[in-house]
Amino acid sequence: LRQTLSQTLAQHKLPTSPALLDLLTLPQHTELSLSLSHCASYSAFAWCSLPYKIGLDVEDVQKIRRNTVARVSSPTEQNS
């Protein structure tokens, strides 16, 4: 996932560094807010320019409970 993130940033002409590949540290960037998530079936990343923040979470559908979705999502998000 981190390798793909680093390659994608480079393709978009955004700075990257070897530190992004270090699994012992949280991924950080000097210009971007980064979010990475993975589960058994999926992985994803997202970024936006600082000072904005972004968060991302992926889960296998069978593990998601309706009450959890209701707690963390708006009604519009739940119906989309």
Side-chain angles (χ1 to χ4, degrees), residues 9-63:
L9 291 175
Q11 289 172 352
H12 286 9
K13 310 239 185 299
L14 294 165
T16 185
S17 75
L20 284 175
L21 304 177
D22 183 355
L23 298 179
L24 299 177
T25 64
L26 292 174
Q28 295 184 2
H29 196 279
T30 58
E31 299 176 25
L32 305 171
S33 172
L34 302 172
S35 184
L36 289 77
S37 183
H38 63 88
C39 61
S41 303
Y42 305 101
S43 63
F45 57 81
W47 74 80
C48 67
S49 297
L50 291 172
Y52 301 102
K53 300 285 186 179
I54 193 163
L56 172 72
D57 186 34
V58 295
E59 297 289 339
D60 288 320
V61 173
Q62 62 271 20
K63 293 183 178 182

